Amino acid sequence: MSEPLPDRMQAVVVHGPEDYRLEEKDVPRPGPGEMLLRVEAVGVCASDLKCYHGAAKFWGDEHREPYVQVGRSPGHEFVGEVVAGDEEAFAHHRVAIGDRVACEQIVPCEECRYCRRGQYWMCGPHDMFGFKNFDGAMAEYVLVPIRARVHQVSKQLEPHHAAFAEPLSCALHAVERANISFEDTVVVAGCGPIGLGLILGAREKNPMNLIALDLDDDKLALGKACGADLTINIREEDAVARIKELTDGYGADVYLEGTGHPSAVGQGLNLLRKLGTYVEYSVFGSDVTVDWSIISDDKELDVLGAHLGPHCWPAAIKMLEDGKVPVEQICTHQFALADFQQALDLVGDTSGASVKVSLLPGRRG
C-alpha cells in the first residue's frame, strides 16, 4: 500500500549561478509508469558546485548552449524509499513499495543513435536528474520516470553511504576504460570522492603498483585505506620524478585523473610512459591547455574519456554492501536540507575539511 503523501515539501530550487533557494513546492504525484521516492540522502557532487558557481559547461557560453535549467531542483547522487507508483512502474523497475533504490544520473531517451546501440550513457538529448528536464533529489521527494535506470540497495547501509554508489559507479567505469593489467603501475590523481573510487576500483584489478597523488596528507591516508600501495604528496615531492624513479625511468602505465584541476592534466601526460594510457573523468570548471605533441609525437598515448557509470552500478552497490569501501571515513559530513548552503560551501572549501558531503532531507535542523 502506498503511504499517504503530504501536499507540500521542501526543495532546493535553482534560480541562477550562486542563487539556489530553499522553497516549498507541491509534492509531485506519479503519473502512468512513474514512481515517487522519499529521498533519504543525496550527495553533493563537485559538478553541483561547479554548476552553482556558474561554470560554462552548465550555463553556456559562446561555444555551448545552457544545460542546467532554472527552476530545477539539483541533486543526482541519491537513494530513496519507494512510496508511490503504479504496477507498470513497479514491474518495469522490479521494485515494490518500501524498497530502497538508487537511480542512475541520466534518463536516456531510448530512441537516439546511442540509445539504440546500447550506449545509453551517451544519450543524445542527455536528460539528467537535477540538471535537465527532471528534478533532482535535493528535495524531500523525487519523481522517477519509467525511462530511469533504477537499482535496489540494501537498507542495512546508512542512507548517505548507500548514495555513494553514484560516484563509485562513475569511478569504476573510468577504471574499466583503462584496461588495467596485473603488471601495470597505475597512478590516481586525487583522493576526493571520485579519486578514492578510482583507487578502490583499480585495487580490484590488482595492478603491480597503485600510487595515489594528492596535496593533503589526511586524504592520502584515506587513499591508503582504499588500497593504494604508495602515496605522494605533490606539494612536497615531484610526482613525475618519483614515479619515473620507481619505474626505471619509463613512467607509469596508466594515469586516472579525478581531481578536476587543470594542472593534473599536464602532470599525467608527463608521468606516463610511452604508449601509456590516460583516462580523464573530471568535469572541469575552466578550459585546459596542454602540449598535444606529448600525446602524439612524443609518446603515442591512448587518451580516453569516461562519463557516468554505465554497467558499473551493480558492482558499486555490491562493493558497498560487502563492506569493501571505508564509507565511515569517506562520508564525512551530513546536513539537513535547510543547510544546503553550508554543504555547498564545505564542498568548495579547499582546506581539505571534508571528503563526501551529503544532505539528508529527513533531518531537521
Side-chain angles (χ1 to χ4, degrees), residues 23-140:
E23 298 180 358
E24 192 173 87
K25 298 173 62 176
D26 289 337
V27 173
R29 264 41 182 187
E34 296 177 333
M35 296 192 305
L36 188 69
L37 306 185
R38 179 179 58 80
V39 180
E40 296 181 86
V42 54
V44 182
C45 178
S47 64
D48 290 321
L49 186 69
K50 291 181 174 74
C51 181
Y52 173 76
H53 284 302
K57 173 179 173 62
F58 302 99
W59 293 99
D61 58 17
E62 66 271 22
H63 303 298
R64 49 170 73 87
E65 294 292 321
Y67 183 69
V68 67
Q69 295 171 328
V70 171
R72 290 278 161 223
S73 290
H76 58 276
E77 302 181 2
F78 63 91
V79 294
E81 180 184 2
V82 178
V83 294
D86 64 12
E87 290 306 317
E88 179 187 8
F90 299 152
H92 179 78
H93 296 299
R94 300 180 183 179
V95 299
I97 294 288
D99 285 346
R100 171 186 279 172
V101 301
C103 298
E104 298 192 27
Q105 316 91 312
I106 196 162
V107 182
C109 73
E110 308 296 358
E111 296 177 356
C112 71
R113 168 181 179 156
Y114 303 104
C115 287
R116 291 198 310 271
R117 294 183 176 192
Q119 300 158 329
Y120 72 93
W121 66 100
M122 298 306 298
C123 172
H126 226 72
D127 293 342
M128 188 93 72
F129 282 110
F131 293 110
K132 183 183 175 189
N133 291 336
F134 293 97
D135 283 323
M138 290 189 189
E140 293 182 278

Side-chain angles (χ1 to χ4, degrees), residues 122-186:
M122 298 306 298
C123 172
H126 226 72
D127 293 342
M128 188 93 72
F129 282 110
F131 293 110
K132 183 183 175 189
N133 291 336
F134 293 97
D135 283 323
M138 290 189 189
E140 293 182 278
Y141 293 87
V142 64
L143 200 63
V144 178
I146 198 163
R147 291 190 279 116
R149 300 284 174 124
V150 173
H151 304 272
Q152 286 198 56
V153 188
S154 170
K155 288 191 172 183
Q156 299 302 309
L157 294 170
E158 292 289 337
H160 51 290
H161 297 168
F164 191 66
E166 192 277 342
L168 182 57
S169 69
C170 292
L172 296 186
H173 175 53
V175 169
E176 287 281 70
R177 295 278 282 159
N179 291 316
I180 294 168
S181 299
F182 292 131
E183 64 182 3
D184 283 345
T185 291
V186 177

Side-chain angles (χ1 to χ4, degrees), residues 12 20 41-52 74-78 131 137-138 160 163-164 166-167 193-194 330-331 333-337 339-348 354-360:
V12 178
Y20 288 17
V42 54
V44 182
C45 178
S47 64
D48 290 321
L49 186 69
K50 291 181 174 74
C51 181
Y52 173 76
H76 58 276
E77 302 181 2
F78 63 91
F131 293 110
M138 290 189 189
H160 51 290
F164 191 66
E166 192 277 342
I194 290 296
I330 293 172
C331 299
H333 294 79
Q334 297 82 48
F335 293 88
L337 192 63
D339 298 322
F340 75 92
Q341 189 64 58
Q342 289 177 249
L344 283 166
D345 292 344
L346 185 58
V347 173
S354 68
V355 183
K356 188 69 219 176
V357 176
S358 302
L359 297 173
L360 306 179

Side-chain angles (χ1 to χ4, degrees), residues 262-272 278 288-301 303:
S263 66
V265 180
Q267 171 183 262
L269 298 178
N270 284 310
L271 64 75
L272 281 168
Y278 180 115
V288 180
T289 301
V290 297
D291 180 359
W292 276 78
S293 63
I294 299 173
I295 298 168
S296 56
D297 191 53
D298 293 356
K299 293 186 177 181
E300 197 175 316
L301 300 176
V303 179

